[in-house]
Amino acid sequence: MDKILIRGNGALNGTIPISGAKNAALPLMIASLLTSEPLTLENMPRLADVEALKSILSNHGVDYRVMGKRPGDTDMTGQRIAFQASEIVDTTAPYDLVRKMRASFWVIGPLLARSGVARVSLPGGCAIGTRPIDLFIESLEALGAEFDIDAGYVNAKAPANGLKGARFRFPKVSVGATHVMLMAATLADGETVIENAAREPEVGDLANCLNAMGADISGIGSSTLTIRGVTSLHGANHEVLPDRIETGTFAACVAMAGGDVLLKNARTELLQVALDTLEKTGTSVAMTNEGLRVSRKSGEIQPVDFTTDPFPGFPTDLQAQYMALVTRASGVSHVKEMIFENRFMHVQELARLGANISIDGQTATVTGVERLSGAPVMATDLRASMSLVIAGLVADGETEVNRVYHLDRGFELLEEKLSAVGADIERVSGG
Ligand code: EPZ
């Protein structure tokens, strides 16, 4: 199994290009199930999760074609991939495919809308919490779908004359359930109003793409989405928005190691609260024509308190990385996790590097230390893995991050991007 070795190596300087967002790319790929025409996605990141979803979608009948490079494209330019579901050949998403990635459960929405039936394996447990599916079921039931669960599968059936538009209020904000209801409602008969919808930028990106495919969605960016159903969708060309979690992660790397880095193509409005939090630690952030410039020249890292919340709040997907940053702060920080009940798995591993963190329920209290020291550590989930890399950037000696397949799910060309700005990081292939 591959591992990543990092040796503390001083400040980071230069440019890191930001990739297309994984969490936008996945639902956009799934949206290709809604039409028989090609959906061409630009700025696609090369990630293990994208590869996994390609095979899941092929099973349903989606053909994909990676288009050639254009003049000026480099190895770090996002790919252009055309997805086409001329025909849905199978409405079952089997356990073997779904268990690898929770987002693959989301095919249930488009399959139900286009084919009237879907049989999708329950996604199963996950390292960051129980992550149930009640909100998916309730919202699709509102559109008239019927469900039964047998042998670990969710069987969904639309009424004989198709899904029907309805008003539905999510009792709790869910990114995935919003994506799914949005996709299903585009082909429902009549108007659907989704209240308390997730406002994450990736939901907006999906809605914009669906509109380009002929859907009629308004309220994009707000917590109330109105969808007037259409009889069919057509092909489109859509560019995946830049990854705000990758942006916030590399910004935390610079805040930790010091230096001055341009995060090319990043957009501040996608992660304003996280950037405000970063500024409180003594890091400068500035938007330029080319992207986001992050710098920390001298001085100590200041402690900061933050609480995760749905967008526009502080993203849970950056919690581990920012916690790593404040392990070296000159005081005590409090980190509260409000989205997932078990997203502190990195704490034990950070402690192996010398961090001083205690947990009480949903709150972690981090008392900054002067030194971290390299050690072998284990990645537990994809964002948690990055917290270990961030700590490794300033730890004395060598940090060895094991189980890096987690990182490959969500960070494109990680070692290449960090070495290009001066980090001493390498991947070692293991048996
Ligand atoms: C998305 O997951 C992201 N995944 C996650 O990123 C992210 O952490 C999460 O949103 C929150 O921002 C993708 O976009 C592919 P949710 P999702 O439904 O949609 C509860 C990463 O690292 N809930 O918004 O699965 C759930 O348990 C990943 O890239 C129910 O109770 O998250 C959680 O407490 C990890 N019932 C809360 O809602 C349901 O039916 C929010 O989860 C569904 C969810």
Side-chain angles (χ1 to χ4, degrees):
M1 231 183 268
D2 288 6
K3 47 177 106 163
I4 282 182
L5 303 179
I6 311 143
R7 287 164 287 263
N9 194 33
L12 305 177
N13 287 290
T15 299
I16 299 180
I18 295 301
S19 299
K22 167 184 84 85
N23 288 350
L26 301 179
L28 289 166
M29 289 168 71
I30 291 173
S32 69
L33 287 167
L34 288 164
T35 173
S36 59
E37 294 182 15
L39 172 63
T40 303
L41 299 176
E42 314 230 1
N43 198 27
M44 287 287 287
R46 297 163 190 81
L47 295 172
D49 272 9
V50 167
E51 291 308 312
L53 188 55
K54 277 183 191 164
S55 39
I56 288 161
L57 293 176
S58 316
N59 184 59
H60 298 302
V62 179
D63 292 323
Y64 58 86
R65 190 161 56 92
V66 179
M67 331 267 276
K69 281 188 181 171
R70 288 184 286 201
D73 282 359
T74 68
D75 288 347
M76 291 203 187
T77 307
Q79 290 184 311
R80 248 184 330 147
I81 311 181
F83 296 88
Q84 184 165 14
S86 306
E87 214 185 312
I88 303 291
V89 297
D90 192 340
T91 52
T92 298
Y95 174 67
D96 261 1
L97 297 176
V98 175
R99 74 185 164 86
K100 294 190 189 131
M101 187 181 36
R102 182 177 161 90
S104 53
F105 182 77
W106 301 350
V107 298
I108 197 165
L111 288 178
L112 198 53
R114 182 157 161 204
S115 302
V117 286
R119 178 171 162 81
V120 182
S121 169
L122 282 163
C126 167
I128 61 176
T130 50
R131 303 177 85 185
I133 57 155
D134 53 325
L135 301 175
F136 294 85
I137 296 199
E138 281 170 36
S139 54
L140 293 173
E141 274 177 349
L143 299 179
E146 287 178 5
F147 288 87
D148 73 81
I149 295 180
D150 82 275
Y153 278 81
V154 178
N155 299 304
K157 201 163 159 251
N161 51 358
L163 297 173
K164 260 214 134 14
R167 178 174 282 268
F168 181 78
R169 182 176 181 81
F170 278 104
K172 177 175 182 176
V173 177
S174 163
V175 174
T178 303
H179 282 316
V180 166
M181 189 174 191
L182 187 58
M183 287 191 274
T186 56
L187 293 180
D189 178 25
E191 186 179 272
T192 297
V193 178
I194 308 179
E195 293 174 10
N196 201 25
R199 282 188 285 163
E200 270 62 7
E202 294 75 21
V203 172
D205 206 32
L206 174 66
N208 285 326
C209 176
L210 291 169
N211 276 351
M213 293 165 73
D216 182 354
I217 303 168
S218 55
I220 298 174
S222 79
S223 57
T224 303
L225 295 169
T226 303
I227 306 110
R228 276 163 291 272
V230 294
T231 48
S232 65
L233 295 179
H234 51 71
N237 208 306
H238 180 83
E239 184 174 329
V240 181
L241 94 171
D243 196 317
R244 65 194 165 101
I245 304 304
E246 191 196 25
T247 304
T249 300
F250 286 129
C253 290
V254 181
M256 186 65 142
D260 188 341
V261 172
L262 173 72
L263 301 176
K264 207 166 162 208
N265 305 325
R267 281 169 38 194
T268 44
E269 78 277 13
L270 302 180
L271 71 162
Q272 196 56 59
V273 171
L275 295 178
D276 294 346
T277 306
L278 203 64
E279 282 192 303
K280 289 185 192 146
T281 68
T283 306
S284 306
V285 295
M287 196 58 203
T288 74
N289 286 342
E290 287 185 289
L292 180 69
R293 188 137 174 222
V294 183
S295 61
R296 195 171 67 77
K297 287 281 154 46
S298 59
E300 295 175 320
I301 297 167
Q302 298 303 312
V304 65
D305 294 346
F306 57 93
T307 300
T308 66
D309 253 324
F311 191 85
F314 188 98
T316 174
D317 290 347
L318 284 175
Q319 180 254 103
Q321 299 90 312
Y322 280 50
M323 187 189 290
L325 171 64
V326 294
T327 60
R328 282 285 308 272
S330 59
V332 178
S333 306
H334 299 97
V335 179
K336 206 164 175 187
E337 172 57 53
M338 299 300 286
I339 309 289
F340 293 109
E341 77 271 23
N342 187 23
R343 212 175 193 182
F344 282 146
M345 307 261 288
H346 41 284
V347 165
Q348 245 178 335
E349 299 301 302
L350 286 170
R352 289 179 52 72
L353 300 174
N356 180 355
I357 308 171
S358 62
I359 300 176
D360 181 8
Q362 301 288 92
T363 304
T365 302
V366 188
T367 306
V369 294
E370 265 177 31
R371 308 168 75 88
L372 296 173
S373 55
V377 284
M378 210 153 63
T380 49
D381 76 60
L382 94 108
R383 310 305 176 185
S385 320
M386 265 317 291
S387 72
L388 305 172
V389 171
I390 291 170
L393 289 173
V394 296
D396 295 339
E398 188 173 86
T399 300
E400 176 187 306
V401 183
N402 292 286
R403 298 200 179 166
V404 298
Y405 53 84
H406 288 294
L407 283 169
D408 297 334
R409 291 188 54 193
F411 289 94
E412 184 180 21
L413 300 169
L414 176 71
E415 309 91 82
E416 289 83 348
K417 288 186 181 186
L418 279 176
S419 346
V421 292
D424 183 352
I425 178 168
E426 63 175 319
R427 178 183 292 251
V428 180
S429 300

